[in-house]
Amino acid sequence: MKKIFTLAVALIYFALNASAQKPNLDKIVAVVGNNIILLSELNQQYAIYLNQGNPADEKVKCYFLQQMLVQKLLKQQAEIDSIVVEENQVDDVLDKRMRYQIQRMGGQERLEQFLQKSVLQYKDEMRADVKEGLIAEKMQQKITENTTVTPLEVKKYFDSYPKDSLPDIGAEVEVGEIVLTPKLTKAEKQKYYDRLEAIRLRVKSGEDFGFLAKTYSEDPGSAADGGDYGFIDRSTMVKEFTAWAFKLKAGEMSPVFETEYGYHILQVIERRGEQAHVRHILIRPQNTPESLERVKLKADSIYKDLIDKRLPFATAASLFSDNKETQYNGGMLLYADNQTSRTTLIPVEKLDPAVFMAIDTMKVGEISKPISFKNQNDGKEGYKIFFLKSKIAPHKGSLEQDYPKFKEQAQREKEAKVMSQWFEKRKENTYIRVDDEFATCDELKLWVNKNTKSN
């Protein structure tokens, strides 16, 4: 049966490509087993590449097509192994990607002009590809899950470097922070509550929720879509939001409620099992001069306790810091570009410029005075106290000093070998066809002429 299906895909390939030589028509550029890759999908990847500020280069499409072939092969195996990805994971990736692209283009309107479609339409078009990518990633993790390196293998990997070719390791630091943001009193927040309550009453009197969300909501991620969040599950949002989303019936609207982000009203559009399709309007209370003065006094008090050694930095971070990501990590920042290793050693050139300015003249073990900040993305402001735990000067890589780095590199190399062996085995038993337009790509030479039937 699989052979018949694969033959059918091949026949479709030839039929579509024969009729797709006319300009502006889509065509199949590759077949992997029972999966096809369309030119429009490839062009979509290229559009994302251009939107990220990269120079125009048609040859880049060869690389993208190779990655798509890899993804299709992994997806095919994932279907056999019954690997699935939850819809909320897809939503998270889509939202992050949209925020990044909107920021890159300088606003949603500019992005939509570039794409020649709405962000909502673009997200819908991207959804299948993002989901497939997550499934492929999960499949790859399964293939390499039992791949580990021993200390002996790490040493062997390190010894494989010629002594005059050891990598230069730049300066690295370990930095802790205590983040303090203003807390408004009930009286200071009341006018924001009242503003949203007035909007809620307008909805109850018959005005359109979506229009009011576009007009008044201060949530940059959903306001343009009429406050629409799509379907969420119980693990997607903060607990107060989730509680109302799964308490209300379709068509019902919540009273004004508060989360860490501000005041909300929420409406359930549809319920589907353990998922709810919701939209909301958010009003963010703004800090007052009095609230900023209160947080400054608190920051000064904590700083004095730290300097007088009445309070260890890690303890102060766990008790007072408003940064939930570092609060229970002794306040230590993690290297964002290497989340898998969860290392606290951060290359100096990768530091946030504001953090670099704060610690540039500090000595190891020193604690900074409270420094005011204002986040340009979400408008949050307050004070930060920094702690420079350690600083490693630039040096040639050594096994003693940089063991975690060489271990990670050895691990990646071993996983790459495991994946390479897996691909070679799968390619030999999978029907693969690449369109003549791309058959000469260097990146695809290992994929062409693989015309065996799918097992």
Side-chain angles (χ1 to χ4, degrees):
M1 186 68 179
K2 284 186 178 179
K3 291 181 179 179
I4 294 171
F5 188 78
T6 302
L7 179 60
V9 171
L11 291 172
I12 292 169
Y13 167 83
F14 289 117
L16 275 182
N17 275 9
S19 63
Q21 302 307 312
K22 299 175 184 178
N24 302 322
L25 289 181
D26 207 352
K27 71 173 182 177
I28 296 173
V29 292
V31 178
V32 182
N34 300 330
N35 298 280
I36 61 173
I37 299 172
L38 297 174
L39 180 61
S40 58
E41 294 174 306
L42 182 59
N43 287 336
Q44 190 175 60
Q45 292 295 320
Y46 185 61
I48 295 171
Y49 164 85
L50 294 176
N51 184 39
Q52 291 171 343
N54 296 303
D57 182 1
E58 289 284 327
K59 291 181 180 179
V60 174
K61 290 183 180 180
C62 293
Y63 168 77
F64 289 140
L65 184 53
Q66 182 215 18
Q67 295 302 108
M68 293 169 83
L69 287 165
V70 167
Q71 186 168 297
K72 294 294 184 186
L73 205 54
L74 287 166
K75 177 204 170 193
Q76 186 166 285
Q77 186 63 42
E79 289 171 350
I80 296 170
D81 292 358
S82 301
I83 287 176
V84 296
V85 167
E86 299 299 330
E87 292 301 322
N88 64 298
Q89 292 176 273
V90 182
D91 289 331
D92 287 344
V93 173
L94 278 169
D95 289 342
K96 287 175 183 176
R97 188 174 292 185
M98 287 303 102
R99 284 195 294 269
Y100 173 76
Q101 293 198 45
I102 287 170
Q103 186 179 14
R104 285 284 314 180
M105 291 299 292
Q108 182 171 324
E109 187 175 343
R110 288 187 178 182
L111 176 61
E112 290 180 335
Q113 288 175 349
F114 173 81
L115 297 171
Q116 296 186 336
K117 62 189 70 175
S118 71
V119 165
L120 195 59
Q121 183 183 355
Y122 184 56
K123 283 173 72 174
D124 286 342
E125 291 177 1
M126 290 292 295
R127 188 173 194 84
D129 186 62
V130 168
K131 186 172 184 176
E132 186 176 287
L134 290 172
I135 290 172
E137 185 180 316
K138 208 169 178 180
M139 185 67 237
Q140 185 166 336
Q141 290 169 356
K142 182 180 179 181
I143 295 168
T144 60
E145 64 184 352
N146 295 320
T147 307
T148 58
V149 290
T150 65
L152 188 62
E153 287 175 312
V154 177
K155 185 178 186 306
K156 185 178 179 181
Y157 175 80
F158 176 81
D159 291 340
S160 69
Y161 277 95
K163 296 306 175 188
D164 58 351
S165 299
L166 284 168
D168 292 315
I169 309 294
E172 297 176 307
V173 292
E174 286 185 293
V175 181
E177 69 171 11
I178 297 172
V179 181
L180 302 164
T181 53
K183 305 294 186 292
L184 299 181
T185 65
K186 186 175 181 180
E188 289 170 335
K189 291 189 288 186
Q190 187 63 42
K191 67 177 182 180
Y192 301 99
Y193 176 96
D194 293 342
R195 183 188 303 172
L196 189 53
E197 174 63 13
I199 294 171
R200 189 184 75 85
L201 292 175
R202 289 173 64 178
V203 176
K204 288 199 72 174
S205 67
E207 292 192 51
D208 182 65
F209 190 105
F211 174 77
L212 293 173
K214 288 181 179 180
T215 307
Y216 298 108
S217 182
E218 295 171 1
D219 177 7
S222 69
D225 296 328
D228 197 332
Y229 259 132
F231 280 93
I232 65 169
D233 63 24
R234 294 181 186 273
S235 64
T236 307
M237 314 298 287
V238 292
K239 61 181 181 180
E240 300 91 348
F241 196 100
T242 300
W244 281 109
F246 288 92
K247 181 178 181 180
L248 300 172
K249 297 176 182 177
E252 291 184 335
M253 181 174 59
S254 74
V256 176
F257 65 93
E258 186 178 10
T259 72
E260 62 190 85
Y261 300 102
Y263 286 114
H264 309 251
I265 53 172
L266 176 151
Q267 186 179 60
V268 174
I269 300 172
E270 181 185 354
R271 290 290 299 274
R272 189 184 295 168
E274 284 302 297
Q275 290 191 320
H277 183 181
V278 301
R279 56 184 176 179
H280 84 136
I281 298 174
L282 170 69
I283 297 295
R284 297 176 183 270
Q286 302 300 309
N287 295 320
T288 64
E290 293 79 12
S291 67
L292 288 167
E293 181 60 27
R294 290 195 300 269
V295 78
K296 184 180 186 304
L297 291 173
K298 181 179 180 180
D300 289 338
S301 175
I302 293 171
Y303 172 72
K304 190 173 188 310
D305 285 344
L306 291 169
I307 293 301
D308 293 343
K309 301 191 183 303
R310 288 196 291 266
L311 198 61
F313 188 90
T315 303
S318 65
L319 289 174
F320 304 115
S321 182
D322 293 322
N323 186 340
K324 292 183 178 180
E325 294 180 4
T326 63
Q327 186 179 20
Y328 300 110
N329 189 38
M332 302 307 297
L333 298 174
L334 295 174
Y335 182 23
D337 288 3
N338 193 354
Q339 296 182 3
T340 54
S341 66
R342 293 190 62 80
T343 180
T344 54
L345 281 169
I346 306 173
V348 169
E349 68 273 12
K350 294 290 186 177
L351 281 174
D352 182 294
V355 176
F356 175 79
M357 291 291 292
I359 69 161
D360 187 32
T361 58
M362 289 171 60
K363 297 177 181 178
V364 172
E366 191 173 345
I367 293 171
S368 75
K369 290 183 178 180
I371 299 170
S372 64
F373 75 90
K374 184 168 184 176
N375 191 315
Q376 296 300 316
N377 293 327
D378 57 17
K380 283 187 178 180
E381 55 186 330
Y383 288 85
K384 292 183 179 181
I385 301 172
F386 292 101
F387 168 50
L388 182 57
K389 183 178 180 180
S390 70
K391 186 173 185 177
I392 300 174
H395 61 280
K396 281 285 184 185
S398 71
L399 196 58
E400 295 75 21
Q401 198 168 9
D402 305 297
Y403 182 86
K405 290 185 179 62
F406 287 106
K407 180 182 178 182
E408 184 180 351
Q409 292 173 16
Q411 176 74 24
R412 284 205 300 264
E413 184 179 81
K414 191 171 182 179
E415 288 179 359
K417 287 180 180 177
V418 169
M419 288 305 305
S420 179
Q421 292 167 1
W422 186 87
F423 280 123
E424 285 303 315
K425 183 178 178 182
R426 295 302 302 164
K427 283 193 294 183
E428 290 298 329
N429 297 293
T430 303
Y431 178 88
I432 296 170
R433 177 79 185 188
V434 177
D435 186 80
D436 290 343
E437 181 182 348
F438 298 96
T440 57
C441 292
D442 289 340
E443 294 89 343
L444 299 173
K445 284 180 179 177
L446 293 175
W447 293 85
V448 297
N449 300 323
K450 296 288 183 181
N451 272 334
T452 55
K453 293 182 180 179
S454 177
N455 61 350

